[in-house]
Amino acid sequence: MRLTISLKLFLGLTLVCLTVVTTQALVTRWNFNRGLLAYVEEKEQGMVTRIVTELAAGYAREEGWQSLRDEPRLWSELLRRHSDRSPAGRLDDRRAGRPLPPEGPRGRPPPRARPLAGDPLLLNRRFALLDANGQLMVGESPDPAARRVSIQVDDGVVGYVSVSPMRSFEDPESQRFAEQQGRSLLLSAVAALLLAALASAILARQFNKPIRALVDAARAMTDGDFNARVAIRGGDELALLAADVNMLAETLERNRQTQRRWVTDIAHELRTPLAVLKGELEAIEDGIRAYNVDTIASLRTELDRLIALVGELHTLTLAEEDGPEQQMSVVDLAQVLAQALQRSSHRLAEAGITLEADLPVQGWAVKGNADQLMQVFLNIIENVVRYVDAPGTLWIKSERGARELSLVFSDSGPGVPDEALGRLFDRLYRVDRSRNRETGGSGLGLAICKSIVERHQGQISAGHAEQGGLQIRLTLPLSAS
């Protein structure tokens, strides 16, 4: 049989309940017996005091123990009278007006008292009368663990009452009572165990429902159904897990759609230069175009565009992969930006774009990869070169906070529509009005920037510049060292 989680939970809870109920039953029974014996011993304290008082008075009146030695029934009556707390007279009252029997010969064995009928406390077996020397006079031989209570007359000890400890109840009535209590305790334990098993089954079933729903959702996602969702009930750990599974399903569905769109866009981007190359070659084969320098230049242009696209795809793939941790180090971002501007100064001048930047010489320490950060700056500047109308201007300013640094790149335009701002960092996205394959790039430059910046735990966003063009804000955390 397969042990499911619900079955394991049911068996575990039932076993725990069985252990608790069994332990509780045993402890209760032991404590009941122990408590009852302690209660009896406490009650016996007063009874022993009364017996000792009456024996002392009888000894003083009769000047000896001979009456109890010769008539053991008096001892039994004494025990019964004080155990029942009956209003019968005392020992000396019962013998008032009767002559004392003659004292028998010394040294004979003391006679046994007749047992008491219905004696649940076993008084005749546990109580005994000893003389001043500790010799048994009436009753049974005391237990070695028996305690002795002295009987004093005129400041002298004339005897002892020996009380053996009560270890159990052996009379039929006491045994029937104990058996009745045992049966009641057993029935209570069985009833508690059944209720605990029922509660365990209900609890296991309640736990199994959300787990079953999670398993079904996971299997559906394994089969490719990312629309599967788990109902969230409550706020416990299973509800949090259900929310995470739903978020995972949404992420997988979004990634699948992005992957499909990504593959479609790549195919579309590759199809255009390949179609141009194929058309040029077919035209040469058919004799429509002559195989000359202009034809070779046209073929090389399309080939260069194809190579550039493949190179940018490779760069984007590398930017999205987690490289070794040792590639990250503390770098001076101001120095990296200065080198990027120096390398791009010729391109800016050719495009008729003026650079206005007020940047510090040093002091922008961030943890990152200098080559990748250089790629970010070069891509942003190249984006300005390609899409800003000449004559134009590029403004660069910095905003330093306590734990982060922001660089703001603003150009003179043209601007970008509001609906396009949120998609500028998507792969292969171009603004229809100004970004095309002839004047623009592949649409991967800003996507590469976003991947690199996010890998550096930073943020990059697009907005409208005050000068009317596009504004790119780049924020990176400063290094503590």
Side-chain angles (χ1 to χ4, degrees):
M1 181 178 62
R2 185 170 63 95
L3 291 178
T4 61
I5 292 180
S6 58
L7 181 58
K8 291 180 180 178
L9 184 61
F10 170 75
L11 294 177
L13 292 175
T14 304
L15 180 60
V16 170
C17 294
L18 176 61
T19 303
V20 171
V21 169
T22 303
T23 304
Q24 184 68 25
L26 294 177
V27 171
T28 301
R29 184 168 184 175
W30 173 81
N31 192 49
F32 171 78
N33 293 334
R34 180 172 173 269
L36 185 58
L37 291 176
Y39 173 78
V40 170
E41 290 179 359
E42 182 179 353
K43 291 298 182 181
E44 283 182 350
Q45 296 288 343
M47 184 176 64
V48 171
T49 301
R50 294 192 300 272
I51 291 175
V52 168
T53 302
E54 184 169 343
L55 288 175
Y59 183 91
R61 182 178 296 277
E62 299 182 5
E63 297 182 356
W65 301 116
Q66 193 60 37
S67 60
L68 288 174
R69 184 188 297 272
D70 294 336
E71 299 185 48
R73 63 179 180 81
L74 296 178
W75 174 254
S76 298
E77 292 177 0
L78 175 68
L79 296 179
R80 180 185 297 109
R81 185 166 63 253
H82 286 284
S83 64
D84 296 341
R85 294 190 176 185
S86 62
R90 295 178 303 174
L91 175 63
D92 52 342
D93 295 333
R94 293 174 62 87
R95 296 193 49 81
R98 293 177 54 191
L100 289 174
E103 188 171 319
R106 300 288 183 179
R108 67 178 180 179
R112 290 175 176 263
R114 291 182 299 174
L116 298 176
D119 185 11
L121 302 181
L122 307 178
L123 299 180
N124 258 343
R125 295 174 55 181
R126 297 173 46 242
F127 279 60
L129 178 63
L130 310 180
D131 61 13
N133 297 322
Q135 298 298 319
L136 179 65
M137 291 189 300
V138 63
E140 296 189 3
S141 299
D143 190 284
R147 62 185 180 91
R148 295 182 180 183
V149 180
S150 61
I151 305 172
Q152 297 184 358
V153 176
D154 297 332
D155 297 331
V157 177
V158 297
Y160 300 92
V161 173
S162 173
V163 182
S164 299
M166 186 170 185
R167 306 185 186 278
S168 63
F169 298 95
E170 299 179 0
D171 65 294
E173 295 181 358
S174 299
Q175 290 181 359
R176 282 195 300 271
F177 176 76
E179 291 175 358
Q180 180 182 3
Q181 295 298 316
R183 284 193 300 269
S184 300
L185 189 60
L186 178 60
L187 291 177
S188 301
V190 171
L193 182 60
L194 292 177
L195 291 176
L198 178 61
S200 300
I202 296 175
L203 185 61
R205 184 177 180 182
Q206 293 298 321
F207 269 106
N208 188 55
K209 285 183 178 179
I211 294 175
R212 184 74 260 174
L214 290 171
V215 171
D216 294 340
R219 288 179 177 175
M221 287 187 288
T222 302
D223 296 335
D225 180 14
F226 299 136
N227 293 320
R229 296 294 183 269
V230 181
I232 301 176
R233 297 184 178 88
D236 55 8
E237 288 79 0
L238 289 176
L240 296 177
L241 179 58
D244 292 339
V245 170
N246 291 340
M247 185 179 299
L248 174 62
E250 294 176 2
T251 303
L252 292 175
E253 177 63 22
R254 185 169 56 251
N255 289 342
R256 181 170 63 178
Q257 295 177 357
T258 302
Q259 182 181 13
R260 289 175 177 176
R261 187 173 62 250
W262 173 238
V263 173
T264 302
D265 293 343
I266 290 177
H268 180 69
E269 293 294 327
L270 294 176
R271 186 184 298 114
T272 299
L274 290 175
V276 173
L277 287 174
K278 181 181 180 182
E280 293 283 351
L281 292 175
E282 289 178 349
I284 294 174
E285 290 177 352
D286 295 339
I288 299 175
R289 294 194 61 177
Y291 184 70
N292 51 29
V293 176
D294 294 336
T295 304
I296 295 176
S298 177
L299 292 175
R300 183 180 295 276
T301 299
E302 296 300 329
L303 183 61
D304 290 341
R305 185 175 292 118
L306 184 60
I307 293 174
L309 175 60
V310 174
E312 288 186 346
L313 289 173
H314 179 66
T315 302
L316 179 60
T317 302
L318 294 179
E320 292 179 344
E321 292 180 351
D322 292 332
E325 188 66 25
Q326 60 266 22
Q327 292 183 358
M328 296 287 186
S329 61
V330 178
V331 299
D332 189 346
L333 196 62
Q335 183 179 359
V336 175
L337 178 57
Q339 293 175 359
L341 293 175
Q342 183 179 4
R343 290 174 56 177
S344 304
S345 59
H346 182 67
R347 290 277 293 159
L348 290 171
E350 285 184 343
I353 299 175
T354 302
L355 175 64
E356 294 187 9
D358 185 14
L359 304 174
V361 180
Q362 58 183 2
W364 293 349
V366 298
K367 186 176 181 181
N369 185 289
D371 294 336
Q372 291 185 353
L373 293 175
M374 174 71 72
Q375 183 70 45
V376 171
F377 295 142
L378 291 176
N379 286 4
I380 295 176
I381 297 172
E382 184 64 23
N383 191 70
V384 173
V385 170
R386 288 180 174 177
Y387 304 118
V388 173
D389 295 338
T393 305
L394 171 62
W395 292 273
I396 304 178
K397 67 176 182 179
S398 63
E399 298 175 358
R400 178 166 180 171
R403 297 182 179 180
E404 60 184 19
L405 171 70
S406 295
L407 292 175
V408 182
F409 299 81
S410 304
D411 60 56
S412 56
V416 176
D418 293 338
E419 62 272 11
L421 289 176
R423 299 191 58 191
L424 286 180
F425 299 98
D426 291 349
R427 305 165 180 171
L428 303 175
Y429 178 76
R430 299 182 183 87
V431 179
D432 294 338
R433 181 164 62 90
S434 61
R435 302 189 178 187
N436 54 67
R437 295 181 183 87
E438 299 299 329
T439 61
S442 61
L444 293 173
L446 293 181
I448 293 174
C449 293
K450 181 180 180 182
S451 297
I452 294 176
V453 170
E454 289 180 348
R455 185 184 175 192
H456 286 72
Q457 285 78 48
Q459 297 177 349
I460 187 170
S461 61
H464 296 295
E466 296 179 358
Q467 299 81 2
L470 178 66
Q471 182 185 91
I472 301 294
R473 176 179 290 269
L474 168 63
T475 303
L476 291 173
L478 292 170
S479 176
S481 56

